[in-house]
Amino acid sequence: MRAGCFCSLLFYVWLTPLLLLLHRIKASGLKLRFCTNETQATRENFVKKLQGMGFDISVAEVTAPAPAACRILKERSLRPHLLVHNDLVPEFAEIDKANPNCVVIGDAAENFTYANLNEAFRVLIGMEKPVLISLGRGRYYKETDGLKLDVGAYMKALEYACDVQAEVVGKPAEKFFESALAEMGVPAQQAIMIGDDIVNDVGGAQRCGMRAVQVRTGKYRPCDENHPHVKPDAYVNNLAEAVDVILQQL
Amino acid sequence: MRAGCFCSLLFYVWLTPLLLLLHRIKASGLKLRFCTNETQATRENFVKKLQGMGFDISVAEVTAPAPAACRILKERSLRPHLLVHNDLVPEFAEIDKANPNCVVIGDAAENFTYANLNEAFRVLIGMEKPVLISLGRGRYYKETDGLKLDVGAYMKALEYACDVQAEVVGKPAEKFFESALAEMGVPAQQAIMIGDDIVNDVGGAQRCGMRAVQVRTGKYRPCDENHPHVKPDAYVNNLAEAVDVILQQL
């Protein structure tokens, strides 16, 4: 399970310490938004799961890749071949999928089979101009049973095989952060992203003009601090420390 | 089944029309060598299969990636975690594989499962300096039941996830062509590569100073003729045409 949250902040964290911290942020009057690359569940189910854990969160507070992708598909009359997690398929219920003219790839997890990857590849390579839409470009993530390859790795495989560049919907795409900011009504200069992913959270937010703090938890690795291109505005050891620092400065 | 052959030539072709053509080439006195990225079988089994189809070919006439990789592993005391086809595993029988300090990836086909890819990724990301050795960098190939992703696509996935660059053994690596030329005792300027892969066959050979002809069969696609970087010295519609043209010029 991966989650992120915004305020004039934006968090991307493991859930355990979040419960009380969210109350503190909301009580301070700061605006808050969850910004997630979660593509293993519909936004509704993602929110239900968090609500079931006691979080005060609504669907309207979450920015996620699949609804953003559906808007693009409708705008451009694209009919997707889906390579996504079974639990995400309902997000595309209203989209015409007959005779596909693009491929949409998400974190399909167990659906990343040899057969499914070959099928998605054949659909793409059969197009005059292959269109590949990727729900994020994450390299890997951590689950209870260890690190796992994320959608970005499989996106790269298809990009290379078909000699195309994917259109990325989700972090770190600028449009994704911009739409989250617009939904909050907060300019980038007044927003802070807090996340554990040096490229997707920190780098993506900074390119939009936001400040960004990296949390030394979750998928953080010490070598992130020597990243050749991305330097966070600050590091914190955990989310509680981030909230402390921010609230002290109000 | 994929195969390639050399002479002062080098072919990469589907096998059907090869039988008589090989006799014509050998009878002409030209030197001939098979140069293959085949990693779904040991070199011995690959040759046995061809011999069973009537081909006059010996193991010593074949240049293939796995034996080349074994030489590298021994030279550098590398202990591989293997992500390869089951039928290729015997090539690595004499290599120490305990406590791996590198990953070797080949065209693992059905072994390209979600679990196996995650496992190879975890081995790599756990190293201080990840070492990834790839038996080729092919994008895709054609089998009787359609196009399939080749090792290069999965190599790219791991490269991206671990932020490393793979060391490629096999076409189009210059060293691979150079060793094939050395084994024949033919300078690059007197050798011609004939293959169906615009990048791996044609591009790789040309970078070594060889001339290269693309055959409009197998994995050839019309858009190859507009490739932004690689221009074959000539096109032929099939292997027979290539042999005709070359023998006429002797």
Side-chain angles (χ1 to χ4, degrees), chain A residues 109-183:
Chain A
E110 302 288 346
N111 277 349
F112 279 133
T113 63
Y114 180 61
N116 286 349
L117 280 161
N118 280 332
E119 193 183 354
F121 160 67
R122 283 185 210 122
V123 171
L124 273 176
I125 202 78
M127 296 174 196
E128 195 177 348
K129 283 195 175 181
V131 175
L132 174 60
I133 294 176
S134 185
L135 306 179
R137 59 184 306 142
R139 292 156 61 206
Y140 58 88
Y141 57 90
K142 196 173 184 177
E143 284 197 333
T144 47
D145 57 345
L147 294 173
K148 298 201 171 164
L149 290 170
D150 202 355
V151 60
Y154 294 96
M155 173 193 85
K156 285 287 173 185
L158 292 175
E159 280 189 338
Y160 177 70
C162 301
D163 201 15
V164 293
Q165 186 150 21
E167 301 174 36
V168 178
V169 181
K171 297 180 288 183
E174 286 183 42
K175 275 193 183 172
F176 193 70
F177 285 101
E178 285 165 3
S179 68
L181 288 165
E183 287 158 9

